[in-house]
Amino acid sequence: MTQFFGSFHPVLVHLPIGILLIALLLEWLCRKEKYASLRPAIPTILFTGAFTAILSCISGYFLSLGGEYDEDTLDRHKWMGIAVALTASIAYGIKKRYFFPNGFKKLYPVVSVLLLLLIVVTGHMGGSLTHGSNYLTQNMPQPFKRWFSSPEDTVAAKKIIPNVQEAFLYNDLVAPVFQSKCQVCHGTKKQKGGLRLDQPDFITKGGKDGVVIVAGNAGKSELIKRLLLPLNNEDHMPPKEKSQLTENETELLHWWIAQGADFTKRVKDFSQNDTISEILASFQNIEEGAVVPNAEVPAGPVAAADKKIVDSLRKLDVLVMPVAANSNYLSVSFVNARSVADSVISLLEPLSAQLLFLKLGGSKVSDSSLAVIGKLKNLVRLNLEYTGISDTGLASLKNLSRLQYLNLVGTRVSYNGILQLKELPALANVYLYKTKVSAAEWPLLQQQLPKVKFDSGGYVVPTFAADTTEKKLPETGKKKKKKKE
């Protein structure tokens, strides 16, 4: 019964809202003589709106029996919904002169305004229950998002991890992923399927269908299975209309579960190969006072960066921080501003003298951005993983004489594109997993750039480095599942 009525509730919610708003709009329009002919339709529309609002209350009641929502918010939403249905019914009665016939001109406008306010507040509460408390701000442009978001909405995004190996794996890395991508449906306000992912005890307990994490076996964990389903699959999590996990976030959760899903240990306490170490490093950012290798910081002093430029970047949620205490050299990360356009990259050019580390992994930059990046003469580390850059853009990096570290994982670069960097004197580490460099070209590439250490990754999602592979004989009479590459 709960599931039956729950399936109709979204329609029964939007229907009365739309109908009642039309009635109120017509009431306002009919004040003008040219729309007066529409006035007789208003009582019928009000009646329909009141009736569907009552049906919405009934379906909402049955849906609430599922126990998937925060009780306090749900209770307020329930009574506000009843108030909408009751007020709409009273408005209809006054309009038809069933109630207060002598007070029509005074009471009806008041009831109409009250009905509009109730619709707005009740709709907002329903949206908060269904989509999370930040549903109005999560897709705003960054400057507006900064103004309107509550501190609770941004706490995970602003977490500083200066040394990822010293961080607590669950508290500092895993929990923020759950908070930003999962807790809208599985948090304190809503528990879809009876599952909460906001506290260790609830995570371990699982939901109505059982446990979602099998410690030590990520492949059998329902949480990972749901993450790896095709986006259009109705069981894929998060739902396709929600913000999706990045590949690094998915791999982090897979590795955490494969390592035993511990809630107390530090990152350094777990075994790591080169690939997972690189993924973990992507969660690291520099804070003031952090120490970086001397070989990466120029010996000479540099003037302070233009404060207006730095402030402009920070307003776009770009992390701009000193690489060390009392240093004017900077580290810039777009980890919290991945949706920015190429035009924002042009703001970096005035920081050419100060900028040493630039992290653009997962952002929407393309080859045109690299023309600006190629002018950042002191750049030492450059992260371009999972961006839209190609061989064409790499040609712009030829003059980065101090560049030591280059991450090109998940891009469209090829063997010929990498050869364009042959003359970079300081280049020492290049990451090329999931690029167009073929297996046959790796030895040739190493011959052409003998001083560079190339990392080819060497594992395939969803079979992670910590997994064991179990081979089974083909099952007859059953449809085989294609292994996700």
Side-chain angles (χ1 to χ4, degrees):
M1 177 92 47
T2 298
Q3 186 175 2
F4 174 78
F5 278 97
S7 63
F8 288 100
H9 188 65
V11 175
L12 292 175
V13 164
H14 293 95
L15 194 60
I17 289 176
I19 293 172
L20 291 172
L21 287 177
I22 289 173
L24 294 173
L25 177 61
L26 284 178
E27 196 68 64
W28 179 77
L29 286 174
C30 287
R31 295 167 61 191
K32 299 181 179 180
E33 192 61 33
K34 65 178 180 178
Y35 297 112
S37 61
L38 299 174
R39 190 172 286 115
I42 295 176
T44 303
I45 297 174
L46 274 175
F47 174 80
T48 307
F51 179 72
T52 54
I54 294 171
L55 293 180
S56 177
C57 290
I58 295 172
S59 66
Y61 168 74
F62 282 103
L63 183 61
S64 70
L65 298 179
E68 295 183 353
Y69 300 93
D70 174 66
E71 290 186 3
D72 291 337
T73 306
L74 180 63
D75 192 58
R76 290 194 295 270
H77 178 61
K78 177 181 70 176
W79 287 109
M80 292 296 289
I82 292 173
V84 168
L86 182 60
T87 305
S89 300
I90 293 173
Y92 169 73
I94 295 176
K95 189 70 175 176
K96 294 290 289 183
R97 306 297 177 99
Y98 297 149
F99 312 135
F100 313 110
N102 298 325
F104 174 79
K105 290 185 177 180
K106 292 183 178 180
L107 286 177
Y108 185 73
V110 174
V111 173
S112 298
V113 172
L114 176 61
L115 178 59
L116 178 60
L117 293 175
L118 286 172
I119 289 173
V120 172
V121 174
T122 306
H124 174 67
M125 287 184 176
S128 298
L129 280 172
T130 305
H131 304 295
S133 59
N134 66 333
Y135 76 101
L136 288 176
T137 61
Q138 61 184 354
N139 293 317
M140 279 185 176
Q142 290 296 343
F144 298 102
K145 189 174 182 179
R146 178 186 292 272
W147 296 341
F148 292 104
S149 294
S150 65
E152 292 80 6
D153 295 334
T154 56
V155 64
K158 295 184 178 295
K159 193 172 187 66
I160 298 296
I161 304 177
N163 185 347
V164 73
Q165 293 298 326
E166 293 295 330
F168 289 96
L169 179 53
Y170 172 74
N171 285 339
D172 296 332
L173 298 181
V174 174
V177 174
F178 284 151
Q179 180 180 340
S180 62
K181 302 295 175 66
C182 306
Q183 289 180 20
V184 168
C185 295
H186 303 289
T188 56
K189 300 290 185 183
K190 180 181 180 182
Q191 298 88 43
K192 189 173 181 179
L195 175 63
R196 286 182 62 170
L197 294 174
D198 59 317
Q199 295 180 31
D201 289 344
F202 293 127
I203 295 171
T204 303
K205 179 182 177 181
K208 292 180 179 178
D209 295 328
V211 296
V212 295
I213 288 178
V214 181
N217 195 330
K220 290 186 178 181
S221 297
E222 190 65 23
L223 186 144
I224 298 298
K225 290 179 180 179
R226 296 291 186 97
L227 289 176
L228 296 178
L229 286 172
L231 187 61
N232 290 326
N233 190 302
E234 63 179 9
D235 291 327
H236 173 84
M237 292 297 165
K240 64 180 180 180
E241 66 272 11
K242 305 290 186 182
S243 178
Q244 300 297 306
L245 277 71
T246 65
E247 185 164 351
N248 279 3
E249 289 171 340
T250 301
E251 295 185 12
L252 171 73
L253 295 185
H254 193 291
W255 178 70
W256 171 63
I257 295 172
Q259 292 289 318
D262 185 88
F263 292 94
T264 59
K265 293 181 180 179
R266 296 180 185 270
V267 172
K268 67 181 181 181
D269 297 327
F270 299 93
S271 61
Q272 304 167 32
N273 58 21
D274 291 342
T275 302
I276 195 61
S277 295
E278 174 61 21
I279 292 170
L280 291 169
S282 71
F283 290 87
Q284 179 172 297
N285 41 58
I286 308 297
E287 67 177 344
E288 187 171 357
V291 178
V292 297
N294 291 332
E296 295 182 343
V297 180
V302 67
D306 187 326
K307 188 176 185 300
K308 291 183 178 179
I309 299 296
V310 172
D311 289 343
S312 296
L313 288 167
R314 286 174 174 167
K315 286 180 181 179
L316 296 171
D317 275 352
V318 178
L319 295 173
V320 183
M321 289 166 287
V323 299
N326 302 317
S327 174
N328 288 328
Y329 288 107
L330 299 175
S331 168
V332 172
S333 173
F334 282 71
V335 66
N336 296 331
R338 290 174 173 171
S339 61
V340 297
D342 286 334
S343 58
V344 178
I345 303 300
S346 62
L347 294 175
L348 298 176
E349 190 171 349
L351 305 180
S352 173
Q354 295 86 10
L355 186 52
L356 299 186
F357 308 148
L358 178 58
K359 298 182 71 172
L360 291 165
S363 64
K364 293 185 178 181
V365 297
S366 58
D367 287 334
S368 59
S369 297
L370 296 191
V372 174
I373 294 171
K375 299 176 183 179
L376 306 176
K377 61 183 181 180
N378 282 330
L379 207 60
V380 175
R381 300 184 195 174
L382 178 58
N383 286 68
L384 293 170
E385 67 271 18
Y386 300 106
T387 59
I389 63 109
S390 65
D391 293 346
T392 303
L394 285 185
S396 301
L397 305 182
K398 291 179 180 179
N399 296 321
L400 296 180
S401 59
R402 301 197 72 252
L403 189 66
Q404 299 178 28
Y405 172 103
L406 181 60
N407 191 331
L408 299 170
V409 170
T411 62
R412 295 175 291 141
V413 301
S414 68
Y415 171 80
N416 290 328
I418 304 301
L419 287 184
Q420 298 178 98
L421 308 178
K422 186 176 179 180
E423 302 304 321
L424 293 182
L427 192 61
N429 294 281
V430 178
Y431 293 81
L432 294 173
Y433 177 50
K434 290 187 178 179
T435 60
K436 291 187 176 182
V437 180
S438 68
E441 290 171 333
W442 283 104
L444 299 176
L445 198 58
Q446 193 64 72
Q447 289 177 11
Q448 293 293 324
L449 291 86
K451 295 181 180 180
V452 177
K453 178 182 178 182
F454 293 101
D455 191 310
S456 61
Y459 71 101
V460 179
V461 176
T463 304
F464 286 71
D467 293 345
T468 57
T469 302
E470 181 182 358
K471 294 184 179 180
K472 295 183 178 180
L473 293 175
E475 297 182 25
T476 59
K478 293 183 179 180
K479 185 178 179 181
K480 298 178 181 178
K481 290 184 178 179
K482 185 178 179 181
K483 184 176 180 182
K484 185 173 179 180
E485 293 299 322

